[in-house]
Amino acid sequence: MRFNTFLIKYAEIGIKGKNRAVFEDTLVRQINRALKDCEGDVKAYKQPGRIYAEAEGDCDYDEVIEALGRVFGISGICPVVQLKDEGFEKLAGDVIDYIREVYGADCAKTFKVNARRARKDYPMNSQQINEDLGERILDAFIGMRVNVHDPDILLNIEVREKFICLYSITIPGPGGMPVGTNGKAMLLLSGGIDSPVAGYMIAKRGVRLDATYFHAPPYTSDMAKQKVIDLARIVAKYSGTIALHIVNFTDIQMAIYEKCPHEELTIIMRRYMMKIAQDIAAKNECIGLITGESIGQVASQTMQSMMVTNEVCELPVYRPLCGMDKQEIVEISEKIGTFETSILPYEDCCTIYVAKHPVTRPSLAHIKKSEERLKDVIDELYKTAIETEEVLHISGSGK
Ligand code: ATP
Ligand code: MG
């Protein structure tokens, strides 16, 4: 017995009227994107109140479940067996085979049959199907009992135009909203653990992503850059294609290093990163910034430091990890598959010139004063950094 169809469940709260069609159409598009590389030509389609993904040929069950598990907006995946309508006797035999295969020959669970007919000319009504099938199941399995209120197994039987669908398992989906039902935001993506998780979390709310990475060659290597590209590719498996903007930050960083107090280096650098990311965001229809900051994690992420960093931002800055402990962030990064790449030991431009005692309570006035020391060079350096950006379009597909 093969599962070649998957009923897609989605949370319906808040998707009424026109929003509902947008939500469903976007979800179908995102499912098709995720399934593009799967064997068996699996495609999603919409029916009134339902979304299915169906394989033309033989599909690889695990591969399809894994791909669907990366589509935000899906709350549950029900693998469906399609049966030909060859009379009730055949149906009853198939249902018994199904229970044996899925739950074992000595299945002793409680169950309920839940039949529905999309095709009203089927010779039995739903109640008759429930009763007659229930009886056959009781005869076939000594240990099984009916429980109509809270069954272990809810056997759904749907009589459709061309075939009869049978399903009883629901595999949890990732939840969230389909990517594309909200705007686009610019993720500041470093090679660390936090920022890929931050991107994942905002994409989960239906937001498309662009990303900006600041590198500092020759102080940061091509390996460090490749690591960020690899991380973007993993995040893109969930979010869809990411335009990754790679900005050469070396000269700005050197100027700050030469002219500003060393304990303020990180804060001043972070302010320029935010500013540049914001300028690139504005040119690319991004209406927010995303960072992997978490309150108190390091000196540049105390509330006082974040207030000073944030002062240069006009766009909203989304910091989905701000209330999380490192361990909680690590758990998500392991779940989404970025952890192994994030912990590869390549240098980040933030780590090459860290002061021994960075300020933890920077004063905005003081930082602004320090930044004045850059005034002769910064405009030119800033312009060059933006003009020389390299853009890579990173898709999550391909094996
Ligand atoms: P991560 O694990 O994401 O690298 P972190 O704990 O190392 O974060 P910081 O280095 O202080 O923290 O950076 C805080 C945030 O600033 C990062 O989560 C990321 O959003 C952004 N950021 C830091 N370095 C870079 C970089 N080189 N390019 C782009 N964004 C960066
Ligand atoms: Mg970092």
Side-chain angles (χ1 to χ4, degrees):
M1 205 160 277
R2 292 192 83 73
F3 295 109
N4 64 346
T5 302
F6 301 83
L7 170 63
I8 307 298
K9 294 198 165 162
Y10 45 92
E12 301 189 30
I13 302 161
I15 50 162
K16 301 192 181 79
K18 210 171 79 188
N19 284 346
R20 187 190 178 97
V22 172
F23 182 100
E24 289 173 340
D25 291 344
T26 312
L27 184 53
V28 166
R29 241 188 348 265
Q30 290 298 330
I31 294 171
N32 283 330
R33 176 186 62 74
L35 294 172
K36 208 170 62 195
D37 295 327
C38 290
E39 267 167 49
D41 206 9
V42 197
K43 292 220 169 60
Y45 61 92
K46 196 169 114 170
Q47 288 221 328
R50 292 274 157 119
I51 291 174
Y52 292 94
E54 198 171 314
E56 280 283 314
D58 280 347
C59 64
D60 176 338
Y61 177 84
D62 294 333
E63 185 184 46
V64 172
I65 296 295
E66 200 196 312
L68 292 173
R70 290 194 299 262
V71 181
F72 296 131
I74 296 181
S75 63
I77 306 154
C78 305
V80 178
V81 175
Q82 284 184 354
L83 304 169
K84 284 200 189 110
D85 178 11
E86 292 168 338
F88 180 78
E89 287 309 316
K90 178 78 169 60
L91 174 65
D94 284 343
V95 171
I96 288 163
D97 287 347
Y98 170 92
I99 296 174
R100 271 203 197 104
E101 213 173 296
V102 176
Y103 301 100
D106 50 0
C107 178
K109 294 178 185 292
T110 61
F111 75 100
K112 173 185 175 179
V113 181
N114 179 32
R116 252 169 308 175
R117 295 179 313 162
R119 182 160 69 78
K120 299 292 178 199
D121 62 357
Y122 191 76
M124 297 164 81
N125 68 28
S126 304
Q127 191 50 31
Q128 266 174 316
I129 302 174
N130 289 343
E131 286 170 11
D132 290 7
L133 265 183
E135 227 164 84
R136 295 302 179 88
I137 294 167
L138 288 172
D139 288 346
F141 298 88
I142 303 165
M144 289 185 76
R145 295 276 170 276
V146 174
N147 180 343
V148 289
H149 300 296
D150 185 23
D152 299 328
I153 304 172
L154 181 63
L155 275 167
N156 292 286
I157 312 277
E158 279 180 28
V159 180
R160 292 170 60 186
E161 282 307 323
K162 293 197 193 114
F163 34 72
I164 298 173
C165 288
L166 165 61
Y167 63 92
S168 63
I169 310 164
T170 305
I171 299 160
M177 311 274 286
V179 172
T181 50
N182 230 311
K184 187 162 72 157
M186 177 63 76
L187 169 66
L188 281 86
L189 181 63
S190 67
I193 294 170
D194 305 328
S195 46
V197 172
Y200 166 90
M201 287 178 70
I202 297 298
K204 187 174 174 190
R205 301 308 304 161
V207 177
R208 282 186 298 137
L209 301 180
D210 264 19
T212 301
Y213 166 57
F214 295 93
H215 71 153
Y219 304 102
T220 61
S221 63
D222 277 352
M223 307 274 270
K225 175 174 155 186
Q226 186 58 44
K227 173 180 166 182
V228 173
I229 295 170
D230 293 343
L231 286 170
R233 186 165 292 124
I234 301 171
V235 176
K237 283 180 186 290
Y238 302 87
S239 68
T241 300
I242 295 176
L244 174 63
H245 303 261
I246 301 173
V247 175
N248 186 329
F249 201 55
T250 311
D251 291 344
I252 293 180
Q253 202 169 350
M254 292 305 282
I256 301 172
Y257 186 68
E258 276 162 21
K259 295 176 194 291
C260 301
H262 286 184
E263 65 277 13
E264 293 174 359
L265 180 82
T266 308
I267 287 289
I268 295 174
M269 223 168 70
R270 308 247 341 106
R271 279 165 60 89
Y272 278 104
M273 281 187 179
M274 292 297 237
K275 256 202 240 191
I276 292 174
Q278 180 167 260
D279 281 359
I280 299 174
K283 283 195 206 128
N284 291 278
E285 292 105 37
C286 295
I287 55 173
L289 301 178
I290 307 165
T291 75
E293 291 162 306
S294 163
I295 297 173
Q297 198 187 74
V298 285
S300 60
Q301 294 173 30
T302 63
M303 281 185 69
Q304 187 70 24
S305 295
M306 289 214 262
M307 188 270 282
V308 173
T309 309
N310 202 69
E311 194 263 347
V312 299
C313 300
E314 282 158 24
L315 288 177
V317 182
Y318 297 98
R319 298 178 171 91
L321 314 184
C322 73
M324 294 172 90
D325 295 342
K326 194 73 186 187
Q327 190 48 36
E328 294 173 288
I329 302 168
V330 164
E331 277 163 25
I332 302 176
S333 86
E334 284 173 333
K335 187 185 81 180
I336 68 176
T338 51
F339 184 73
E340 292 298 321
T341 306
S342 287
I343 58 172
L344 293 172
Y346 306 124
E347 62 295 321
D348 177 68
C349 71
C350 287
T351 53
I352 48 178
Y353 290 126
V354 270
K356 274 215 180 71
H357 301 290
V359 281
T360 52
R361 294 170 158 272
S363 121
L364 180 58
H366 199 272
I367 295 285
K368 282 186 157 177
K369 203 152 177 30
S370 300
E371 282 177 353
E372 278 175 24
R373 303 188 196 180
L374 299 166
K375 70 174 185 309
D376 293 339
V377 292
I378 195 68
D379 289 351
E380 197 55 37
L381 296 179
Y382 192 97
K383 201 166 138 244
T384 309
I386 290 187
E387 280 173 4
T388 57
E389 68 158 12
E390 178 190 357
V391 186
L392 302 177
H393 292 270
I394 313 250
S395 97
S397 60
K399 287 181 185 166

